Amino acid sequence: MPGRENNRLLSIDIVRGWVMVLMALDHCRELLYVNSAADPLDLATTSVPLFFTRWITHLCAPSFVFLSGVSAFISTARSGASNGNFLVKRGLWLVLLECTVVNFGIWFDIRFGVVLLQVIAAIGVGLVVLGLLIKAKVKPGYILAAGLLLLVLYPLVPVVNSNEAGVAAKVWMHLFQPGLVPLPGEHMLLVGYPPVPWLGIILAGYGCGAMFLQPVASRKRLFCMTGAVLLLAFVLLRITALYGDPAPWIKQADPLFTFLSFINVSKYPPSLQFDLLFPGIMFLLLYVAEKMTRQLAPLLAIFGQVPLFYYIIHWYIIHLLLFVVLFLQGFGLSDLSFGFNMGRPEAAASGLSLGAVYGVWLTVVLVLYPLCRRYGAYKQKWVREKGWLRYL
């Protein structure tokens, strides 16, 4: 059974690798699907395959963020010294990467008309705060409590009317809520992942880090129990609709669509019910990962061992494939529209069927595997001599 390998916890790499494979599916759908502008979670217009293609990828961001907090705890615990300064610097580096390299991979817009802050920036902000807390010698139990309080209570912060609010009020609002912020020179800042809700997840991950250092049998039991408790809490909150999500489930004419409504929780920003459902699934996947054979485990762990490298490269590969598809469909350079269109032509239909999107997704994953494997081997060999590798 997987345990620690090369001073890493293999089950974390397996689960992180799995959610990153799913993440590539979501971004292939977003860039390449013929009807990508429509909301795949709108029960009035979606199909069951399209719904689950989008819904299952909701697992990615909370797992990625939570496990970043866990990894920070494990690194601190094993080194025996505070790594607060490193976390602060790495967090700032992640925000810079998000605003430059990642954003160009998303939009392919040399003007940077839209700067999108999403999961990498959210993790970056979380690491900065976490690093400062570690430098202040705040105990993991208090960090866990702070994270849980943020997750439970942040929805109570009143929403500000952005049309009437001043600059300070708008900044405050976008700490909690997504939104578009006009910038000078016809640029825009799109806050997709507001920092505070995701900060709660990364702090909770750090606070739960000790369970990941338990012996294998205890760890498996804790993963299974935690996952079951979180899912039970989700079901109870969702049934009663007392608290935890601004969009209650609605009974549909079709029982299957009633179920879809029940599990269709809010991600922007992540609701409390979202933060119970998907981390609950994540913990059950960690339990399964601990039981995987050593022959199968490395196939997913390869991706999970180099998550930032994978994340950056996969945007560029998918976006280049989008241009290949557009040119094969008869479009030229003059037809491409950037900014929010990501290169897709405005005036004509373009893109692929959902089945073809799945084919492209599998191709992207196959292309990424040898790249990630080679980079992982290079990093493992040289990370002690080349400190900059710790930031990638």
Side-chain angles (χ1 to χ4, degrees):
M1 292 180 291
R4 294 170 189 162
E5 186 172 284
N6 298 324
N7 207 34
R8 300 181 67 95
L9 197 64
L10 196 56
S11 57
I12 292 179
D13 289 334
I14 293 169
V15 172
R16 188 155 47 196
W18 171 238
V19 300
M20 295 181 74
V21 168
L22 288 177
M23 178 182 63
L25 171 61
D26 189 40
H27 296 156
C28 283
R29 176 201 59 80
E30 190 174 11
L31 267 72
L32 294 164
Y33 180 52
V34 66
N35 196 22
S36 60
D39 181 2
L41 300 179
D42 183 350
L43 298 184
T45 58
T46 194
S47 65
V48 173
L50 180 58
F51 178 93
F52 278 110
T53 298
R54 172 58 175 150
W55 179 87
I56 191 60
T57 62
H58 279 353
L59 178 65
C60 303
S63 300
F64 206 15
V65 175
F66 184 91
L67 293 176
S68 295
V70 172
S71 297
F73 178 90
I74 293 174
S75 175
T76 301
R78 289 179 176 171
S79 67
S82 170
N83 63 347
N85 287 330
F86 169 73
L87 292 178
V88 170
K89 290 187 289 185
R90 189 163 195 266
L92 294 173
W93 169 239
L94 289 179
V95 174
L96 177 63
L97 273 182
E98 178 86 287
C99 295
T100 54
V101 178
V102 174
N103 262 262
F104 186 76
I106 295 172
W107 306 114
F108 265 45
D109 181 6
I110 195 65
R111 299 178 301 107
F112 283 86
V114 180
V115 176
L116 172 62
L117 300 182
Q118 50 176 5
V119 67
I120 298 300
I123 292 173
V125 173
L127 290 180
V128 170
V129 175
L130 189 54
L132 294 175
L133 291 174
I134 292 172
K135 284 169 59 67
K137 302 187 184 304
V138 179
K139 295 181 179 179
Y142 293 129
I143 293 177
L144 173 61
L148 295 178
L149 283 174
L150 281 177
L151 294 177
V152 173
L153 299 180
Y154 89 84
L156 299 179
V157 174
V159 177
V160 178
N161 186 330
S162 60
N163 294 325
E164 301 174 0
V167 174
K170 287 182 179 179
V171 171
W172 172 256
M173 178 185 72
H174 291 306
L175 293 176
F176 298 88
Q177 297 287 333
L180 195 62
V181 182
L183 298 176
E186 298 184 353
H187 295 275
M188 290 179 287
L189 177 67
L190 178 57
V191 181
Y193 283 58
V196 172
W198 297 99
L199 174 61
I201 295 177
I202 199 170
L203 295 183
Y206 184 88
C208 290
M211 75 166 63
F212 288 77
L213 298 181
Q214 297 295 313
V216 174
S218 299
R219 196 163 66 223
K220 287 165 56 179
R221 186 167 57 251
L222 285 170
F223 290 162
C224 187
M225 291 176 57
T226 303
V229 168
L230 291 176
L231 292 179
L232 178 60
F234 161 74
V235 170
L236 293 176
L237 272 183
R238 193 68 172 156
I239 288 175
T240 58
L242 293 176
Y243 183 72
D245 199 285
W249 65 283
I250 300 173
K251 186 176 181 180
Q252 308 288 315
D254 185 334
L256 176 56
F257 273 71
T258 298
F259 173 71
L260 299 187
S261 178
F262 188 83
I263 62 173
N264 189 16
V265 288
S266 303
K267 181 183 178 182
Y268 300 104
S271 67
L272 175 59
Q273 292 179 21
F274 179 98
D275 293 332
L276 293 171
L277 173 58
F278 291 101
I281 296 172
M282 178 202 67
F283 270 105
L284 294 185
L285 288 176
L286 285 164
Y287 170 75
V288 172
E290 290 284 352
K291 299 168 69 68
M292 290 176 67
T293 65
R294 287 194 175 272
Q295 289 71 35
L296 181 60
L299 297 177
L300 291 172
I302 287 295
F303 296 128
Q305 289 167 0
V306 290
L308 184 58
F309 176 83
Y310 176 107
Y311 186 85
I312 293 172
I313 296 298
H314 96 288
W315 274 116
Y316 285 81
I317 293 175
I318 297 171
H319 222 135
L320 290 173
L321 288 174
L322 167 64
F323 297 138
V324 171
V325 168
L326 293 176
F327 294 149
L328 289 175
Q329 290 181 339
F331 297 99
L333 287 173
S334 61
D335 298 311
L336 304 185
S337 175
F338 292 92
F340 284 111
N341 278 27
M342 300 180 175
R344 295 277 289 267
E346 287 186 354
S350 63
L352 302 174
S353 67
L354 187 61
V357 167
Y358 270 81
V360 173
W361 165 56
L362 293 175
T363 301
V364 169
V365 172
L366 290 174
V367 169
L368 281 165
Y369 183 81
L371 297 177
C372 290
R373 185 171 184 173
R374 289 192 176 190
Y375 176 72
Y378 176 82
K379 182 177 179 180
Q380 183 178 349
K381 180 179 180 180
W382 295 105
V383 69
R384 293 184 182 275
E385 288 79 10
K386 301 179 180 182
W388 61 268
L389 285 170
R390 296 184 69 197
Y391 294 87
L392 285 173

